[in-house]
Amino acid sequence: MSLKTQWIAPLQVNDHRRDIAGLTYVYPVVSRRAGGVSVGINLNPNNACNWRCVYCQVPDLQRGSAPEIALPQLESELDLMLAEIVNGDFMTRAVPDGVRRLNDIAFSGNGEPTTSAQFAECVAIVERALDRFALRGQIKVVLITNGSQLDKAHVQFALEKMASLQGEVWFKVDRAPQDGFEWVNQIRLNRQQITRRLAQAAALCPTWIQTCMFAVDGQLPTEAELQAYLTFLAQQIEAGVKLKGVLLYGIARTSMQAEAPQLSAAPMAWMQCFAERIMSLGLPVKLAA
């Protein structure tokens, strides 16, 4: 097994191709939210997810779960990528000046990572890699998730392990959860389930809410939608849910879903104004428009 990193042009925030290094499960990106290099782990190479967010950049997205993971291959690929970054010249060759730092290893990819029945085993692989490359406590381990599997014991076990590895959960809440169909995520939502799972995540591992805001058919979210979202956050705080803050971002890459022509980026001034409203609740906000 070898990397094709010698062919990689300098990484860009708008290029998150999962096959950029010629590997199945592991890929490098420059993350605008992380402000550095993130080593992505894609547990959904079958492009399957149990949600279908309208802004999703995954081509040929299908409904479903993660396939069986070839765990030895994942471990080998992660070692190869980290060796290039930690011991090789990857940073100077493939990363723009100013963001040449390794920030995290992130479970992200082309679908919901926690739909993998082997998710806890994959976290254990990351733990071993951190130790081999003397990175334990030096970088984060991030899970980007819709939270749908947080009721499962093996996922909860994995989050507890992540917490010991300077882990973070980025829990997707794009709009205030309401019972019924959610257009942005193309799913049937149950507010009580979302609330319970968010609290579970925050109790097990430091948790940020991750929110994508954008215009639909030229119309930004209404004041009623924004207020419902802010009320939801306030209710979590009042209930004692220990949130790290909100990762607020907009559309930087083109959606690959049918709704793409309807979507457009929110103006930066609008995003900043909304970030200030969130901060007024006492929550930190990291804004990446």
Side-chain angles (χ1 to χ4, degrees):
M1 185 185 300
S2 62
L3 289 175
K4 66 174 187 180
T5 55
Q6 65 272 20
W7 301 331
I8 298 176
L11 297 174
Q12 303 293 332
V13 296
N14 61 354
D15 185 356
H16 285 201
R17 284 174 292 152
R18 315 310 189 199
D19 62 351
I20 196 167
L23 303 176
T24 300
Y25 300 113
V26 177
Y27 61 99
V29 299
V30 172
S31 170
R32 60 197 169 121
R33 279 168 280 174
V37 173
S38 176
V39 174
I41 296 181
N42 180 18
L43 300 184
N44 303 77
N46 58 348
N47 294 355
C49 188
N50 58 346
W51 288 22
R52 189 185 70 76
C53 302
V54 295
Y55 55 80
C56 183
Q57 300 94 15
V58 175
D60 304 317
L61 186 68
Q62 59 181 310
R63 298 280 187 173
S65 301
E68 183 175 356
I69 306 300
L71 296 173
Q73 181 181 347
L74 169 58
E75 191 150 14
S76 294
E77 290 186 2
L78 185 55
D79 278 358
L80 281 169
M81 192 72 252
L82 290 176
E84 286 270 342
I85 292 172
V86 175
N87 302 321
D89 63 349
F90 178 81
M91 288 294 196
T92 55
R93 244 186 322 106
V95 180
D97 192 18
V99 287
R100 289 174 179 164
R101 69 178 191 89
L102 178 58
N103 184 78
D104 60 65
I105 297 173
F107 289 96
S108 180
N110 289 2
E112 173 52 44
T114 61
T115 60
S116 171
Q118 299 157 286
F119 179 63
E121 295 167 89
C122 296
V123 171
I125 285 173
V126 170
E127 180 180 24
R128 292 194 293 270
L130 291 174
D131 288 337
R132 280 193 294 273
F133 289 91
L135 292 171
R136 184 189 284 260
Q138 304 302 307
I139 64 172
K140 298 176 183 178
V141 178
V142 175
L143 167 64
I144 302 175
T145 180
N146 59 33
S148 60
Q149 309 300 302
L150 259 292
D151 292 325
K152 295 183 177 179
H154 77 278
V155 175
Q156 294 178 7
F157 174 81
L159 262 60
E160 288 184 306
K161 173 57 68 177
M162 282 182 54
S164 72
L165 302 175
Q166 199 170 322
E168 289 184 355
V169 175
W170 295 2
F171 192 111
K172 183 186 300 294
V173 179
D174 289 321
R175 302 293 181 269
Q178 308 293 339
D179 292 337
F181 182 73
E182 171 52 57
W183 184 83
V184 171
N185 305 124
Q186 295 288 298
I187 54 162
R188 298 287 300 182
L189 274 185
N190 178 297
R191 182 186 175 94
Q192 185 177 22
Q193 283 183 340
I194 298 293
T195 302
R196 181 182 70 250
R197 291 166 180 167
L198 178 60
Q200 287 172 332
L204 294 168
C205 187
T207 296
W208 292 80
I209 285 179
Q210 178 184 249
T211 298
C212 185
M213 286 288 175
F214 50 88
V216 179
D217 295 327
Q219 300 298 310
L220 291 164
T222 66
E223 177 58 28
E225 289 175 310
L226 298 181
Q227 189 56 58
Y229 174 91
L230 294 169
T231 298
F232 175 77
L233 293 184
Q235 290 170 341
Q236 307 319 300
I237 296 169
E238 185 177 359
V241 178
K242 302 298 185 183
L243 297 172
K244 295 286 289 183
V246 175
L247 303 171
L248 179 63
Y249 69 108
I251 295 176
R253 291 172 285 144
T254 303
S255 167
M256 291 295 157
Q257 308 313 308
E259 295 83 1
Q262 297 177 257
L263 312 183
S264 58
M268 174 58 83
W270 186 93
M271 296 286 284
Q272 289 174 331
C273 180
F274 188 51
E276 290 171 3
R277 294 178 68 179
I278 296 170
M279 288 188 284
S280 72
L281 300 175
L283 287 174
V285 176
K286 295 182 180 179
L287 174 60

